[in-house]
Amino acid sequence: MFCLTPPELETKMNITKGGLVLFSANSNSSCMELSKKIAERLGVEMGKVQVYQEPNRETRVQIQESVRGKDVFIIQTVSKDVNTTIMELLIMVYACKTSCAKSIIGVIPYFPYSKQCKMRKRGSIVSKLLASMMCKAGLTHLITMDLHQKEIQGFFNIPVDNLRASPFLLQYIQEEIPDYRNAVIVAKSPASAKRAQSFAERLRLGIAVIHGEAQDAESDLVDGRHSPPMVRSVAAIHPSLEIPMLIPKEKPPITVVGDVGGRIAIIVDDIIDDVDSFLAAAETLKERGAYKIFVMATHGLLSSDAPRLIEESAIDEVVVTNTIPHEIQKLQCPKIKTVDISMILSEAIRRIHNGESMSYLFRNIGLDD
C-alpha cells in the first residue's frame, strides 16, 4: 500500500490534548482497518463500544466508556450494506449526544448517497435528507473527502471539512509511474474535465477529453422541473400559450479531444463503481494509440463484477484510496492498487481536537479543485 508521509506532518502526529475519544461505528470488522490506522497515527486507543445486529436485523450500539465532556470522533467507512452503515452511525451519534459528549465529529471518508444530490423528475435529494438526519442525531462537525459535488456541504448546518485525496494520487503518479512525463491526463466525459485539468496543471502534462460516450444517469435529467405533461391538456394550458419544448439530446460519435497516441493515459475521477464507462474509455484510448492506461479515483466502490471486468479489460492499473475497504476486490483483481489516506484524516482530527487551523490541509486548493 502506497502511503504519503510529509515530514512536516510526521513531526505533528501523536500530539493531542486529553479528552479525545475515537470510535469506529462499524459492526463489520473488515471496515475497521482505516480506524485502526488513524488511531495508531494519533497514538490513542480505540474507544470501547459494541456495535452489532440483533436477530431481527435491528442495530444495537452500546458505548462502554464515559464520553461526558469529551471530543468524540466517530469513524465510519461505508460497507456494501450502506443502509446498515448509516443506521450504525446515526445511533452511535445519538448515543454520544445523550451521554453528554462535548462535541461529536463524524469522520466519513466516503459520504454515502452523494450521487443522489440533485432532483430528478419526481425523485428526491437523498444526500440532503441524510445530512439533515446526521445533524438531527447530534453531529456537530463532519470530516469527509472528495464529495461527489462540493455543493453537498451546503446541505449541512454544521461545519464540514471536505478534504482532498489528490495530493496522495499525484505523488503516486510521480513515484510509481516511472515515465509519467510521457503521460496525458484523461477525462472520460466532459463532466470530469475540471478534475482532469487540475491534475494536468499540477503535473505539467497535457489533457484529453472523451466526448460522445453513452449518456449516463448522472447527467441525465438533472433538473427536477423536467416533467412536462405527456398529453397537451387544453384545460391546463391556455390555447394562446405555446411553451417551447427542449430539443432532445443526441450523443455524437465518440471522439477524443487531445492527442493520446504513443502516450500513457491516466483517467481520473472521484468515484469508480460501475466500471462500464471506464472500460469503454479504455478501449477508445487503446484504439487512439495509448500504450498504457491507468485509472485513478478517490473512492473505489468497485461493486458487482467490477474486479473481473477490470482484470479482463485494457486497463493496466486501477489506483484508489482506502476511504472504502476493498481487500476482497484486490484478491480478485491484482490490477487494483491502494493509496493510504489515514495520514490526512488523523491530522484533521488532531487539529480539530486541539483547536488549530485547518487551512494547512487546504493549501493550494482552488475553487475549481
Side-chain angles (χ1 to χ4, degrees):
M1 182 180 290
F2 182 84
C3 178
L4 175 71
T5 311
E8 58 267 32
L9 288 187
E10 187 72 37
T11 59
K12 293 179 181 178
M13 290 294 99
N14 302 328
I15 306 174
T16 56
K17 298 176 182 177
L20 179 148
V21 181
L22 206 63
F23 286 132
S24 174
N26 287 109
S27 59
N28 188 340
S29 58
S30 66
C31 296
M32 297 181 65
E33 290 303 315
L34 181 60
S35 304
K36 292 176 182 177
K37 287 178 181 291
I38 292 172
E40 184 180 346
R41 288 188 180 279
L42 289 170
V44 300
E45 297 289 333
M46 291 297 300
K48 297 180 177 65
V49 63
Q50 279 190 332
V51 184
Y52 58 94
Q53 309 298 317
E54 297 277 15
N56 62 358
R57 302 299 298 162
E58 288 184 359
T59 299
R60 175 83 62 173
V61 173
Q62 291 182 338
I63 297 173
Q64 298 177 319
E65 64 179 85
S66 174
V67 296
R68 182 180 294 273
K70 295 181 180 180
D71 292 332
V72 177
F73 291 83
I74 301 175
I75 304 169
Q76 183 69 316
T77 50
V78 177
S79 65
K80 284 191 173 181
D81 191 351
V82 179
N83 296 329
T84 297
T85 299
I86 292 169
M87 284 306 300
E88 289 172 347
L89 175 66
L90 294 175
I91 293 172
M92 182 171 284
V93 169
Y94 189 65
C96 293
K97 178 183 177 181
T98 55
S99 298
C100 301
K102 177 184 174 184
S103 61
I104 307 167
I105 299 94
V107 183
I108 312 171
Y110 170 67
F111 189 74
Y113 286 96
S114 59
K115 284 190 173 184
Q116 298 188 47
C117 61
K118 297 179 181 178
M119 179 68 79
R120 292 189 179 88
K121 284 198 173 181
R122 297 173 184 86
S124 61
I125 306 175
V126 183
S127 54
K128 165 63 176 172
L129 170 65
L130 187 54
S132 300
M133 291 167 64
M134 289 181 180
C135 295
K136 188 67 176 176
L139 209 64
T140 60
H141 198 134
L142 175 67
I143 302 172
T144 187
M145 180 165 281
D146 281 338
L147 287 170
H148 187 57
Q149 297 288 342
K150 294 190 292 292
E151 291 77 10
I152 292 175
Q153 295 174 85
F155 295 161
F156 291 85
N157 55 15
I158 58 174
V160 177
D161 287 310
N162 182 28
L163 303 176
R164 305 297 197 276
S166 52
F168 299 85
L169 298 176
L170 288 167
Q171 186 159 345
Y172 183 94
I173 292 172
Q174 292 174 318
E175 297 186 359
E176 301 297 317
I177 304 178
D179 47 350
Y180 82 93
R181 287 293 181 190
N182 188 37
V184 58
I185 306 298
V186 179
K188 68 179 179 64
S189 68
S192 55
K194 279 188 177 180
R195 178 179 294 269
Q197 181 182 357
S198 175
F199 272 69
E201 290 176 352
R202 283 169 168 77
L203 293 169
R204 278 54 168 180
L205 299 176
I207 184 173
V209 180
I210 299 175
H211 180 53
E213 78 280 11
Q215 181 80 21
D216 58 10
E218 182 63 24
S219 58
D220 189 29
L221 302 178
V222 296
D223 192 343
R225 294 176 293 275
H226 182 76
S227 54
M230 297 302 294
V231 181
R232 181 177 173 180
S233 170
V234 177
I237 303 176
H238 194 276
S240 65
L241 183 63
E242 290 292 339
I243 300 176
M245 300 295 290
L246 279 174
I247 300 171
K249 289 182 180 179
E250 184 175 335
K251 299 294 283 187
I254 293 179
T255 56
V256 179
V257 182
D259 181 23
V260 297
R263 314 282 285 278
I264 298 172
I266 304 176
I267 304 171
V268 296
D269 213 335
D270 63 328
I271 299 172
I272 176 167
D273 186 6
D274 179 10
V275 297
D276 289 345
S277 59
F278 291 93
L279 303 183
E283 289 295 334
T284 301
L285 294 169
K286 277 287 186 185
E287 292 171 4
R288 300 300 194 280
Y291 72 90
K292 224 171 188 180
I293 298 172
F294 291 80
V295 174
M296 312 204 81
T298 303
H299 309 295
L301 275 69
L302 301 168
S303 302
S304 189
D305 289 334
R308 178 182 61 81
L309 294 172
I310 292 170
E311 186 65 25
E312 297 171 356
S313 73
I315 297 172
D316 293 284
E317 195 169 287
V318 174
V319 182
V320 293
T321 72
N322 57 343
T323 56
I324 297 172
H326 49 261
E327 294 305 316
I328 295 175
Q329 289 91 329
K330 287 177 69 175
L331 293 174
Q332 297 170 341
C333 177
K335 292 182 180 180
I336 300 172
K337 308 296 180 184
T338 307
V339 173
D340 180 24
I341 45 80
S342 62
M343 167 64 70
I344 194 170
L345 293 174
S346 56
E347 177 64 7
I349 290 171
R350 190 194 68 81
R351 285 176 174 270
I352 290 172
H353 175 60
N354 291 346
E356 299 177 19
S357 171
M358 292 287 286
S359 60
Y360 176 82
L361 303 180
F362 293 93
R363 294 170 304 161
N364 301 323
I365 294 178
L367 292 175
D368 293 332
D369 291 327

